[in-house]
Amino acid sequence: MCVITQNARMQTGNMALFPIYRGRRLRELPALRRMFAETRLSADQLVLPLFVRPGRKERRPVASMPGVSQLSADELVRDAADAFAAGVPAVLLFGIPEKKDARGSEAYSARGVVQEAVRLLKKELPDLVVITDVCLCEYTSHGHCGVVGKHRGGRVILNDPTLKLLAQTAVSHADAGADIVAPSDMMDGRVAAIRTALDRAGHQQIPILSYAAKYASAFYGPFRQAAESAPKFGDRRTHQMAPPNVEEALREVAMDIAEGADIVMVKPALAYLDVLYRVKSEFGYPTAAYSVSGEYSMIKAAAANGWLDEKAVIMEMLTALRRAGADIIITYAAVEVARWLTPCRT
Ligand code: PBG
């Protein structure tokens, strides 16, 4: 019989005779609580998403995401430098192109917004880890993550023709100097296609952070305003995962690892802690959680109304992601959090 059960049994008898487990003993002092915290959150684990747009000295606030702006590359370098100085080691770039077309050609143009921003970032901040989001939805006129074609009388996103364009996008990011590429499109086989293309282009050392278990979530609403990437018709449910499923998430992750993913992601984070826990415990792979736009904006909105304590809620939420199994966390609050965690840094 285990000790705890034995104690519990004895407690139901004569309370005075036997030691009682008292959880409060190790909670009495702040320093004790610090010593026995089982989960630690550190700025080293944070990634800040940034939105880059064409132009110079441009800073356009995103209405649905207080504190987040679309930035021209020069302004982006400034924000990235502040983040790095605050202790955030990495940024994740999304692009808003000059013009969109049916095949999202600015996504894989050597002179695209993201490619230019990556070159500037790596020149100005060589130690910052630059991760690039690889997807077509911000670049296509229809707002879908791939090439649209006809099937059974309706419009569908064509899987295999999209793979070529995604691979081209990833290679163009790596050519520009990206340190990690992060495919978020959810086409089948994209990790293998990107790995093969990167290797052929001489980028064997560039890791792939795969949005492996990415759900078709209503929590992406504010982001689609920020990235101007809402689909013009239909939705993303034919390729992103259905919220009720978790076994399927494990299959998606297993496939992406087999295809060569170096880091796997669960997205969104807060409503998918069970998925995060299972992915981390079954694969033991470097695991990322993406605390998405809706998670951020709902806290900002509640805090603005005086309904929630912003700092306390954000810290509790991010700690929960770590407890569930996240090694790294992508969050729009990365800079504030880094400052809260390391108050003596600039
Ligand atoms: C697709 C992409 C999306 C997000 C990241 N990459 C949106 C979508 O799938 O529609 C959402 C991130 C967020 O909500 O913060 N390129």
Side-chain angles (χ1 to χ4, degrees):
M1 197 192 295
C2 78
V3 179
I4 293 175
T5 333
Q6 205 171 18
N7 270 345
R9 290 238 173 125
M10 289 189 284
Q11 280 169 38
T12 57
N14 186 337
M15 298 279 283
L17 285 180
F18 302 102
I20 302 171
Y21 171 73
R22 287 181 183 273
R24 293 186 56 185
R25 285 182 193 127
L26 300 184
R27 292 177 205 144
E28 206 63 50
L29 296 170
L32 273 173
R33 296 195 290 273
R34 245 170 56 209
M35 288 166 71
F36 293 100
E38 295 174 32
T39 305
R40 283 170 214 282
L41 181 63
S42 132
D44 299 336
Q45 298 148 344
L46 304 175
V47 177
L48 174 70
L50 291 170
F51 298 94
V52 59
R53 59 167 303 114
R56 288 201 53 215
K57 297 207 177 336
E58 288 258 20
R59 197 168 262 278
R60 294 198 194 170
V62 176
S64 56
M65 300 178 73
V68 174
S69 296
Q70 297 180 347
L71 306 167
S72 52
D74 51 334
E75 294 290 324
L76 182 107
V77 168
R78 286 222 222 157
D79 282 24
D82 287 348
F84 195 65
V88 176
V91 296
L92 169 62
L93 294 191
F94 294 94
I96 298 110
E98 194 98 57
K99 53 183 192 329
K100 308 190 184 214
D101 58 37
R103 291 175 65 80
S105 41
E106 280 210 33
Y108 38 90
S109 151
R111 300 254 80 90
V113 269
V114 164
Q115 291 81 353
E116 297 283 18
V118 170
R119 275 190 284 269
L120 195 60
L121 275 174
K122 290 309 294 185
K123 181 164 146 253
E124 303 292 329
L125 303 164
D127 296 333
L128 174 76
V129 174
V130 176
I131 310 173
T132 54
D133 183 86
V134 175
C135 191
L136 299 184
C137 63
E138 294 121 52
Y139 305 90
T140 51
S141 40
H142 42 68
H144 281 292
C145 307
V147 180
V148 172
K150 289 230 178 339
H151 183 63
R152 293 192 196 129
R155 284 184 286 187
V156 295
I157 299 153
L158 303 172
N159 197 85
D160 293 11
T162 301
L163 297 183
K164 244 192 0 232
L165 304 184
L166 293 168
Q168 247 175 284
T169 304
V171 170
S172 74
H173 292 173
D175 285 345
D179 298 298
I180 300 177
V181 292
S184 68
D185 52 280
M186 287 297 276
M187 296 299 119
D188 290 321
R190 81 277 171 73
V191 175
I194 289 172
R195 185 71 272 161
T196 307
L198 285 173
D199 291 354
R200 280 207 190 116
H203 296 300
Q204 292 89 346
Q205 80 288 6
I206 298 296
I208 298 175
L209 160 56
S210 155
Y211 287 64
K214 176 175 176 180
Y215 287 83
S217 171
F219 283 99
Y220 307 153
F223 171 95
R224 291 182 188 167
Q225 252 188 49
E228 298 174 12
S229 65
K232 296 282 189 302
F233 59 89
D235 54 40
R236 308 215 200 285
R237 283 184 284 190
T238 65
H239 50 290
Q240 297 181 350
M241 282 188 52
N245 300 352
V246 63
E247 296 296 339
E248 188 188 353
L250 301 180
R251 291 200 294 278
E252 287 283 352
V253 171
M255 279 310 297
D256 282 7
I257 289 174
E259 290 179 29
D262 300 278
I263 310 158
V264 290
M265 187 199 293
V266 174
K267 174 185 174 195
L270 191 56
Y272 297 85
L273 289 178
D274 58 322
V275 181
L276 192 52
Y277 178 75
R278 290 195 60 186
V279 165
K280 185 61 187 180
S281 40
E282 302 220 1
F283 300 97
Y285 245 63
T287 303
Y290 196 144
S291 182
V292 301
S293 56
E295 298 174 47
Y296 172 84
S297 296
M298 67 186 184
I299 294 174
K300 285 282 178 186
N305 275 296
W307 296 337
L308 282 179
D309 175 340
E310 181 175 345
K311 175 179 172 185
V313 169
I314 291 178
M315 295 302 265
E316 181 177 336
M317 178 171 88
L318 299 190
T319 302
L321 303 184
R322 292 270 303 134
R323 193 190 64 230
D327 296 297
I328 61 169
I329 299 172
I330 300 161
T331 168
Y332 300 94
V335 179
E336 292 107 290
V337 173
R339 293 195 175 121
W340 293 331
L341 287 167
T342 46
C344 47
R345 290 171 100 143
T346 47

